[in-house]
Amino acid sequence: MKFTLSWLKDHLETDADAGAVADAMTRAGLEVEEVHDPIAALAPFTAARIVSADRHPQADRLQVCQVETVDGMKEIVCGAPNARAGLMTIYAPIGAYVPGLGVTLVEKPVRGVVSNGMLCSASELELADESDGIQELPDDVQVGAPAAGVFGAEPVIDFEVTPNRPDWLGVAGIARDLAAAGLGRLTTPAIEPVPGRFANPVGVRLEAPELCPAFAGRVIRGVSNGPSPEWLKRRLTAIGLRSINRLVDVTNLISYDRARPLHVYDLAKLVGSEIVVRGGQVARDTGEPEHLIALDGKTYAVAPTHCVIADAAGERPIGLGGVMGGESTGCDEATTDVFLESAWFDPLVIAQTGRDLGIASDAQYRFARGVDPQSLVPGMEQATRLILDLCGGEASETVLTGEAPAAPAAFAFDPGRVASLTGLEVGDDRISTILTDLGFAVDRGATWSVTPPSWRRDVEGPADLVEEVARIVGYDALPSTPLPDLGAPPRGVLSPRQARVRTARRAMAALGWSEAVTWSFLKQDAARLFGGGDARLVLENPIAADLDCMRPSVLPNLIQAAARNAARGHGDVALFEIGPIYLGDGPKDQRTVLAGVMSDRAARHWSGKGEDALFTLKGDLMTVLDRLGAPVASLQLAQGQNRDWWHPGRSARLQLGPKMVVAEFGQLHPRVLKALDADGPLYGFEVVLDALPEPRGQKSKSRGAADLPVLMPLTRDFAFVVDDGVAAGDLVRAVAGADKALIWDVRVFDVYRGAGVPDGKASVALEVVLQPREATLSDAEIEALTSRVTAAAGKLGATLRT
């Protein structure tokens, strides 16, 4: 919504400038978006007179003009066809920014002749959409007169209107609130009725009162349509509206002045003597909706839920009620008789019509928010007076069909609620004055009774009145009262299991795994694949036929999730879930597990080799167990003891003894994958979080100082010949225990069987990383450490390979 300062002062007697008005609007709750001051933009531009205009020696379409300016005589090159001696126009000096061109003028030659400025058109100053040449000013304008004063430029205030305040869509409504806020005195002129000179020859019939409850109209004959006077053009142009003709401009003016949309029909183009208001029609034979060519030149298909204005006994649509008129009855310069419409349309109907048809006209914008129902006749009277003043003619009597919605009902109000809800100490007289200035009727009896005005249908109770008083007094006056100090709120304490779940979730995410959340149920057939399917765990009333059993493992759900991803082109997945599994019918048979499934979709490589997914999974599993505080160094790796949904040769378990299994991991059995309709290979693990032993002692959550060695590490390689039955992990742990202070890491980098190695034996090559702490190791110390490593490996029957 935009308006000019002079327009506001037609309704508000005030000396405030645009900045003060914008500040007062903000304090009163109106969201000002911009204050555009064209006077500042036009400050460099002044009136000038062309003394002579001669043809440019190097260009036929250019003229070299001698111009009398505020800076004296200037030679300016001009290409406008209307540049001539004696013409008053607009001069821009060197250094001025021309907004319509987006350039700053500099002194430079034009075809060999230096131009000392520029002669401007209205479009180059953004005062018009287009121009045929430089601006022509009246001869009585003085040289050096500011262009802003010549064009009557003034500040324009642009603000956002909230949906609950349709009265702000008229300048009169803004002035009313500013007057209540103390910025000035409200001077909105009263609307005097125009008596009818003859009976209205056009009748109105409401066939759809649910779409349009009330419709008023009158005929004005003998009008002379044409271009609007300058004051009206300037007022509409300043807020971004295009002047069309006097009749249309009057309706646009009242729409912005009083928030009352109107429409004029060319009476000669109406068919018949009756206006019919109805819903859209559909052809019985074809089922096609009727169409309307609107004033914007577009054709719209009208639905039965849309409000249609029709003539010819209701057969021909001539407009979309509350949205846009039709092209067939539009007014032009040949119009002499008009039918003026002022109606009230249901806001929800108009809002839906705009959405359905993609129309956002000024009328639709206002009717969708709710126009004052009591403005039907006053708006028509104001438009009639303006049309008679600008176009002449005589008006008929007004016909009003239907009944507008009733005014809001009164309700009781206790002025003491202002203090109780806001903390503001406002006297009763001040509260009454504010509400009265805003248009409310206040009856100060033993109990106050307040009646909202017809344009404030958003006010429904006492709390709304308190808000009105608070915004007019000013939200900056609200007292600042700190909340009482209730002390620090008690913080929850996580149980060891909850803390372990949180740590596991963060550790898995840090390793690049994606968390999945699946049902705690699955199909009974799938449960049997993982040792479940017990009748005690079958649901009596499952939510779905394939979710009829409590899950004995998280793995089947994750396998199916990975299969769904692969079916959609995302085969490279690593999914994990933390949740319960159910092994029996009692609460003691429930376990909390961390499970994960990953695919082996390594990218193709020129060597034909990729990273083994099984070892990747094992590495991630050991990292997570370490983060959970599990005694990783004490875990035993046992193969060949996993349950039958694991691949027998590529799976293992981690345990702290035969009866304390911590985790199972490895490749999932192809038989299980086929039964679950999943392509392999897939690798997984399942950690029973309840089986992890609690850390001994209470560990501090804060980290200590980083222990960063200052000396360079060094490595030593060992190749041990061991029996094939000895696990490489056992050999690594034995070597690492030879000297826990110096040995930083032990890694297997080669396993060899073949020539030079006896049958039944294997050569396992280890890289031992030594990290000195206090001093560089001497040769003797290294030799002593080598002996301890060899001795530790010898306990497993390993000998150095020679």
Side-chain angles (χ1 to χ4, degrees):
M1 172 68 184
K2 296 180 180 180
F3 63 92
T4 61
L5 186 60
S6 66
W7 196 342
L8 176 68
K9 291 184 177 181
D10 286 350
H11 299 270
L12 184 69
E13 183 180 332
T14 180
D15 296 328
D17 59 11
V21 169
D23 291 342
M25 290 174 64
T26 301
R27 290 194 299 273
L30 289 85
E31 183 181 349
V32 178
E33 293 188 339
E34 181 186 13
V35 178
H36 176 62
D37 188 0
I39 297 176
L42 294 176
F45 304 93
T46 55
R49 175 180 286 104
I50 300 177
V51 176
S52 65
D54 301 320
R55 188 176 66 83
H56 193 290
Q58 302 295 330
D60 293 338
R61 296 185 179 182
L62 298 179
Q63 297 185 75
V64 179
C65 303
Q66 303 300 322
V67 184
E68 182 184 359
T69 73
V70 69
D71 300 324
M73 293 297 296
K74 296 289 184 180
E75 186 174 73
I76 299 175
V77 178
C78 181
N82 62 332
R84 60 186 183 275
L87 176 66
M88 291 295 299
T89 188
I90 300 296
Y91 158 71
I94 298 298
Y97 176 78
V98 183
L101 300 178
V103 298
T104 300
L105 300 181
V106 296
E107 185 176 332
K108 64 178 182 179
V110 179
R111 294 289 184 91
V113 178
V114 175
S115 183
N116 298 285
M118 179 180 177
L119 302 179
C120 302
S121 66
S123 61
E124 289 166 340
L125 299 181
E126 292 188 337
L127 298 173
D129 293 334
E130 55 184 23
S131 301
D132 294 331
I134 58 176
Q135 181 66 34
E136 297 190 15
L137 302 179
D139 293 337
D140 58 354
V141 176
Q142 297 294 319
V143 172
V150 173
F151 288 103
E154 58 177 321
V156 177
I157 299 174
D158 185 5
F159 71 101
E160 185 68 28
V161 179
T162 55
N164 67 315
R165 292 302 304 270
D167 57 307
W168 282 346
L169 291 169
V171 179
I174 303 166
R176 184 188 304 112
D177 276 28
L178 292 177
L183 192 67
R185 185 174 65 88
L186 189 65
T187 59
T188 298
I191 298 175
E192 297 295 334
V194 178
R197 298 292 186 89
F198 57 93
N200 192 336
V202 178
V204 176
R205 174 158 50 96
L206 295 180
E207 291 187 354
E210 71 279 5
L211 305 180
C212 176
F215 191 103
R218 78 189 315 173
V219 170
I220 305 175
R221 64 190 183 191
V223 300
S224 175
N225 199 13
S228 295
E230 285 300 320
W231 71 267
L232 182 51
K233 286 183 179 179
R234 188 178 299 120
R235 178 155 289 185
L236 297 178
T237 303
I239 61 173
L241 295 180
R242 181 173 60 90
S243 175
I244 299 174
N245 56 52
R246 295 173 197 167
L247 292 171
V248 176
D249 288 355
V250 164
T251 61
N252 286 336
L253 177 73
I254 296 175
S255 181
Y256 277 79
D257 187 71
R258 300 297 178 96
R260 160 41 66 182
L262 304 163
H263 188 67
V264 285
Y265 301 88
D266 190 326
L267 188 62
K269 298 177 182 178
L270 292 178
V271 179
S273 59
E274 186 180 43
I275 294 290
V276 179
V277 183
R278 58 172 174 79
Q281 295 179 346
V282 177
R284 294 181 180 178
D285 53 347
T286 63
E288 288 291 322
E290 63 181 336
H291 291 77
L292 170 73
I293 302 177
L295 286 171
D296 60 1
K298 298 180 181 179
T299 301
Y300 298 97
V302 184
T305 55
H306 302 159
C307 185
V308 173
I309 312 298
D311 64 359
E315 292 299 323
R316 185 181 71 148
I318 59 174
L320 283 168
V323 178
M324 187 174 292
E327 188 179 78
S328 61
T329 56
C331 296
D332 52 33
E333 293 186 357
T335 299
T336 57
D337 302 327
V338 298
F339 178 77
L340 179 62
E341 167 199 299
S342 179
W344 196 89
F345 300 95
D346 184 88
L348 295 179
V349 171
I350 303 305
Q352 188 61 49
T353 302
R355 285 192 289 267
D356 291 344
L357 303 179
I359 302 176
S361 64
D362 285 339
Q364 188 270 344
Y365 186 79
R366 284 162 171 76
F367 278 120
R369 282 156 177 76
V371 172
D372 180 7
Q374 301 302 316
S375 67
L376 267 78
V377 175
M380 174 165 289
E381 298 290 359
Q382 184 183 14
T384 301
R385 173 55 61 193
L386 273 173
I387 290 174
L388 295 181
D389 291 344
L390 298 179
C391 306
E394 59 180 356
S396 75
E397 297 174 349
T398 299
V399 57
L400 175 60
T401 305
E403 185 176 353
F411 53 83
F413 175 63
D414 178 9
R417 296 202 65 185
V418 173
S420 64
L421 292 181
T422 67
L424 291 170
E425 297 296 336
V426 186
D428 290 358
D429 292 341
R430 173 65 172 144
I431 293 174
S432 178
T433 299
I434 290 174
L435 295 178
T436 302
D437 289 346
L438 291 174
F440 295 86
V442 181
D443 180 5
R444 297 179 59 178
T447 300
W448 283 29
S449 176
V450 179
T451 305
S454 58
W455 60 83
R456 291 301 306 275
R457 310 185 77 84
D458 60 306
V459 176
E460 298 177 346
D464 296 325
L465 297 181
V466 173
E467 182 181 1
E468 292 299 301
V469 173
R471 72 180 182 86
I472 295 300
V473 171
Y475 292 126
D476 53 347
L478 291 173
S480 177
T481 304
L483 295 173
D485 185 7
L486 301 179
R491 296 184 178 182
V493 179
L494 296 179
S495 66
R497 187 188 65 81
Q498 291 172 326
R500 184 168 286 169
V501 167
R502 175 180 291 184
T503 301
R505 179 175 288 114
R506 292 180 176 178
M508 292 299 295
L511 291 169
W513 291 66
S514 299
E515 184 175 11
V517 179
T518 67
W519 294 106
S520 293
F521 327 113
L522 75 168
K523 195 173 182 179
Q524 191 174 1
D525 293 341
R528 293 193 185 98
L529 295 172
F530 289 81
D534 193 304
R536 296 173 298 170
L537 296 177
V538 176
L539 303 176
E540 294 183 0
N541 186 25
I543 61 175
D546 56 349
L547 295 173
D548 59 350
C549 183
M550 305 300 291
R551 64 185 181 187
S553 171
V554 180
L555 290 174
N557 288 346
L558 292 180
I559 292 171
Q560 292 174 328
R564 287 192 296 270
N565 277 271
R568 289 160 177 79
H570 302 284
D572 186 12
V573 296
L575 304 175
F576 79 94
E577 181 177 1
I578 302 175
I581 61 172
Y582 307 89
L583 306 177
D585 58 355
K588 293 183 179 180
D589 294 323
Q590 179 176 325
R591 302 284 188 272
T592 300
V593 300
L594 163 65
V597 167
M598 68 180 295
S599 62
D600 185 12
R601 301 288 195 277
R604 292 184 297 175
H605 192 266
W606 62 269
S607 65
K609 298 179 181 179
E611 185 177 1
D612 194 320
L614 179 57
F615 290 106
T616 300
L617 180 135
K618 178 187 175 184
D620 289 349
L621 174 60
M622 299 301 288
T623 300
V624 172
L625 290 174
D626 183 60
R627 290 288 303 275
L628 292 175
V632 176
S634 302
L635 290 176
Q636 301 171 359
L637 186 72
Q639 292 181 271
Q641 301 180 27
N642 282 23
R643 287 168 286 187
D644 58 0
W645 56 84
W646 297 102
H647 193 294
R650 292 179 60 79
S651 62
R653 61 169 49 173
L654 296 172
Q655 59 188 30
L656 291 170
K659 296 184 179 181
M660 190 176 290
V661 179
V662 173
E664 289 186 338
F665 70 96
Q667 183 176 336
L668 292 157
H669 202 291
R671 170 183 53 82
V672 173
L673 298 182
K674 183 178 180 180
L676 295 176
D677 197 22
D679 294 331
L682 289 178
Y683 302 85
F685 69 86
E686 198 164 42
V687 179
V688 181
L689 296 179
D690 302 318
L692 293 178
E694 296 293 337
R696 295 182 180 179
Q698 185 67 27
K699 292 186 177 180
S700 173
K701 294 184 178 180
S702 60
R703 295 183 178 181
D707 183 16
L708 302 178
V710 297
L711 299 176
M712 291 289 293
L714 66 153
T715 62
R716 284 294 181 268
D717 294 344
F718 297 85
F720 292 104
V721 177
V722 295
D723 293 336
D724 266 339
V726 176
D730 294 340
L731 181 61
V732 168
R733 279 192 292 272
V735 170
D739 192 324
K740 295 182 179 180
L742 285 178
I743 297 178
W744 186 267
D745 192 14
V746 180
R747 294 187 286 264
V748 178
F749 68 87
D750 185 42
V751 176
Y752 172 74
R753 296 178 182 87
V757 176
D759 293 338
K761 301 283 187 178
S763 172
V764 180
L766 304 179
E767 180 186 47
V768 180
V769 181
L770 308 178
Q771 178 60 66
R773 293 287 181 173
E774 298 178 358
T776 302
L777 296 178
S778 63
D779 291 342
E781 290 172 328
I782 295 175
E783 289 299 328
L785 177 62
T786 300
S787 299
R788 291 196 295 273
V789 167
T790 303
K795 294 179 181 180
L796 296 178
T799 59
L800 278 176
R801 181 183 174 189
T802 56

